[in-house]
Amino acid sequence: MVIIGGGPGGYESAHVAAQLGAEVTVVDSDGLGGSAVLTDCVPSKTLIATAELMTDLSTAPELGIGLADGPGSQVQVDLARVNARVLRLAAEQSRDIGRRLERDGVKVVVGHGRLAGPQQVAVDLPGGGTETLDADAVLVATGAAPRTLPTAQPDGERILTWEQVYDLTEMPTRLIVVGSGVTGAEFASAYMALGIDVVLVSSRDRVLPGEDADAAEVLQQVLTRRGMTVLSKSRMESVTRDGDEVTVRLTDGRSVTGSHCLLALGSVPNTADVGLEEAGVKLDDGGYVVVDRVSRTTARGVYAAGDCTGILMLASVAAMQGRIAMWHFLGDAVSPLDLKKVSSNVFTAPEIATVGWTQQAVDNGEIDAEVVRLELAGNARAKMQGVRDGFVKLFARPGTGIIVGGVVVGPRASELIHPVSVAVAESLTADQLAQAFTVYPSNSGSIAEAARRLHHPR
C-alpha cells in the first residue's frame, strides 16, 4: 500500500493496513498529521482551550470569585505565549504520530507524491530527484487548503488565513473575521474571549448557516451580547492593507477597518499536480475526488479519503474513510460510510454538537420524526455552573421511538453528544436512552430528561 498524505486519512489508514499485514509506505510533504494536526484542528482547539478558560473566568464573579484589588489584578492574555504553546503541542502530536507509524513498521517517505500509473507513485524528493514506489493499491489523502480570492490576498502579517494566525505575537486591536461558517465562527468566538474586539462579516442572514438554526440563533445571541459586532447579509468585496490598518470593503459600498483580518472563506482541495485525472480518477466541478461509500475512486486500485474528497470535512470522517479503504481492499469486514452516524462539533462558546438527521430534514419532510427541545437553563448542574444558554434537542421516529438525531448546545457539548451518538449508531429507542442511569446533578441528565419526554405510554 502507498498512501499519499500524512493527515488523519493517511496515517489512520496506514495503521489499519499494517495491522492487516500489508507493507505500507506513507508519502508526506507537509509533516505527519497534516493540516488537522499542524495548522487546523489541534492548533485551533488548543487556542480555543485558552479561550474557554477566559470564558469561564468571565462568569467567576457570579460564582463568588473575584480578583484582589491592586496592580496586576486584571487577567491578561499573552498571545505570543499562547501561540508558542499551540505550535509546540502541534509539533509534539506530529512526532507522536511518527513514532506510532514507526512502531507499526510503516515506512515514511518525505516528498511530493503523485500517481505515475495505475500501480505506481512517483515521489519528488526535497533534495532533488524522484523515487518511484510500486503499489498494489494507492490511497490519496492530500487534504485541502484555505480558499483565498484575488481581491483578498493574505500577506501573513495583517491579512491572514487560519493557518497563519499562530505567527501573531501581539494582540490585534480589532480583528475582522470574514466568513461565518464553522471556522470563522470558532475563531471569532475564541478571539473575542481573549479580549479582542471582533467584527464578524457574514454573507448570510445568520452565523453558521449550515448548522441547526435554533443552535445558530442561540450562538449569535450570545456573541452579540458579549460584544461582538455581527454584520449579517454582508458580502466581502475586497480586503486591503495600508500600514497597520486593514480595510474590508463590502459589496453594498460599506467598509470596515481593523488592525487584522482573518479570511475564513472555505477550502479548496489539494488535487492539482497529483496525476489524478491522468490515472483515470474523476474529479467533480469543485476539484474534489469523487469516491463511493467504501472510498473507491473511478480508477481501479486507487482510493481517496479526507478533505480532498469534500465529504464532511472532519478529521474523524477522513480517518474513517481511510480505514474503510484499507478494510475493503485488504478483504477485511467493512461497512460503507454512513454519514447519518457522524457526530460533529462547533467549538464556539457555547459549543454546538450534532449527530444524525437534522431539524431541516424534518422540516423539509425528508424524515418523519418527533422533536423535543429542553433548555439547559433548567438543569441543576447548569445552574450551579452559571450556565443559562443552550439546550438539548432529540429527534425520534414516531411509533418505534428510535433516536435518529440530536443537537446539544452548551459548554462541552462535544462530550455531551456521545450518548446521543451511541443511540443513533445502535438504533436505541428514546425509552432505552431515558432508562440508562445518569449522575445527579449533571448536564447529561438533560439528555435523559429529553428522552423521557419522547415516551408514549403503551
Side-chain angles (χ1 to χ4, degrees):
M1 306 297 305
V2 174
I3 298 163
I4 306 176
Y11 71 77
E12 288 288 351
S13 62
H15 290 306
V16 169
Q19 181 185 44
L20 295 176
E23 180 183 330
V24 187
T25 300
V26 173
V27 179
D28 182 72
S29 59
D30 301 321
L32 292 173
S35 62
V37 169
L38 296 170
T39 59
D40 194 352
C41 296
V42 170
S44 65
K45 277 50 176 182
T46 305
L47 173 73
I48 288 168
T50 301
E52 286 175 347
L53 179 58
M54 294 296 288
T55 300
D56 291 342
L57 287 173
S58 70
T59 62
E62 181 181 346
L63 276 62
I65 298 174
L67 295 171
D69 294 332
S73 62
Q74 184 66 39
V75 176
Q76 295 181 337
V77 175
D78 185 337
L79 191 58
R81 290 182 63 186
V82 170
N83 283 338
R85 178 174 183 265
V86 166
L87 296 175
R88 184 176 68 252
L89 289 179
E92 289 175 359
Q93 182 69 10
S94 180
R95 286 191 293 271
D96 285 345
I97 292 168
R99 284 190 287 267
R100 287 176 53 208
L101 291 174
E102 183 180 6
R103 180 199 65 198
D104 283 358
V106 175
K107 179 183 177 182
V108 177
V109 176
V110 177
H112 175 77
R114 50 189 168 80
L115 292 173
Q119 293 181 306
Q120 247 182 16
V121 172
V123 184
D124 297 326
L125 303 174
T130 301
E131 181 177 350
T132 301
L133 304 171
D134 294 323
D136 294 308
V138 176
L139 174 72
V140 177
T142 49
R147 178 172 172 259
T148 60
L149 297 174
T151 57
Q153 286 294 303
D155 62 9
E157 295 178 351
R158 296 276 170 173
I159 304 173
L160 309 159
T161 69
W162 67 77
E163 294 183 341
Q164 298 170 327
V165 294
Y166 309 110
D167 292 328
L168 290 175
T169 56
E170 295 182 359
M171 294 277 281
T173 56
R174 193 182 204 210
L175 176 66
I176 306 168
V177 179
V178 180
S180 61
V182 172
T183 300
E186 286 184 345
F187 276 108
S189 175
Y191 281 120
M192 184 179 67
L194 296 180
I196 296 170
D197 179 18
V198 175
V199 178
L200 181 61
V201 177
S202 172
S203 62
R204 308 291 282 275
D205 58 356
R206 61 174 172 84
V207 300
L208 297 174
E211 299 295 322
D212 181 90
D214 293 338
E217 182 180 357
V218 169
L219 176 63
Q220 183 156 330
Q221 289 173 353
V222 171
L223 295 178
T224 53
R225 187 178 72 222
R226 291 175 179 167
M228 184 182 296
T229 301
V230 179
L231 302 179
S232 301
K233 297 182 180 178
S234 301
R235 187 172 295 277
M236 181 270 294
E237 182 177 85
S238 66
V239 181
T240 56
R241 174 184 175 182
D242 182 11
D244 292 342
E245 184 177 83
V246 297
T247 300
V248 176
R249 289 182 173 79
L250 307 178
T251 54
D252 62 7
R254 292 177 296 161
S255 63
V256 187
T257 59
S259 64
H260 295 76
C261 175
L262 172 59
L263 301 172
L265 306 173
S267 301
V268 291
N270 295 325
T271 52
D273 194 29
V274 189
L276 296 175
E277 291 177 295
E278 294 86 345
V281 176
K282 182 180 178 182
L283 306 180
D284 67 14
D285 293 340
Y288 292 97
V289 181
V290 176
V291 293
D292 63 12
R293 290 176 60 201
V294 291
S295 305
R296 288 178 297 190
T297 71
T298 51
R300 183 178 180 183
V302 180
Y303 294 76
D307 289 357
C308 66
T309 69
I311 296 177
L312 266 187
M313 298 169 77
L314 302 170
S316 58
V317 173
M320 185 58 72
Q321 285 180 292
R323 295 187 199 108
I324 286 173
M326 297 301 102
W327 290 327
H328 181 267
F329 182 76
L330 295 169
D332 202 4
V334 61
S335 297
L337 182 67
D338 186 353
L339 297 180
K340 287 295 182 284
K341 294 182 179 179
V342 174
S343 57
S344 63
N345 192 70
V346 183
F347 289 86
T348 46
E351 293 183 5
I352 299 173
T354 56
V355 66
W357 287 89
T358 65
Q359 180 74 64
Q360 185 175 6
V362 174
D363 294 343
N364 292 344
E366 297 172 40
I367 186 171
D368 189 14
E370 294 183 67
V371 182
V372 164
R373 172 175 165 172
L374 186 64
E375 303 299 317
L376 275 184
N379 179 288
R381 183 70 183 277
K383 290 178 182 177
M384 297 170 194
Q385 295 171 325
V387 175
R388 295 183 178 83
D389 303 298
F391 61 84
V392 171
K393 185 193 290 189
L394 295 178
F395 306 98
R397 296 285 282 163
T400 64
I402 290 174
I403 301 292
V404 293
V407 182
V408 179
V409 180
R412 308 296 192 275
S414 51
E415 312 293 343
L416 285 173
I417 197 65
H418 187 245
V420 185
S421 183
V422 171
V424 171
E426 300 302 321
S427 297
L428 300 183
T429 65
D431 287 347
Q432 288 173 313
L433 183 59
Q435 290 163 13
F437 276 90
T438 57
V439 172
Y440 181 84
S442 70
N443 288 326
S444 60
S446 289
I447 294 174
E449 175 62 24
R452 280 192 287 275
R453 295 189 183 194
L454 287 166
H455 172 71
H456 294 288
R458 289 177 170 80

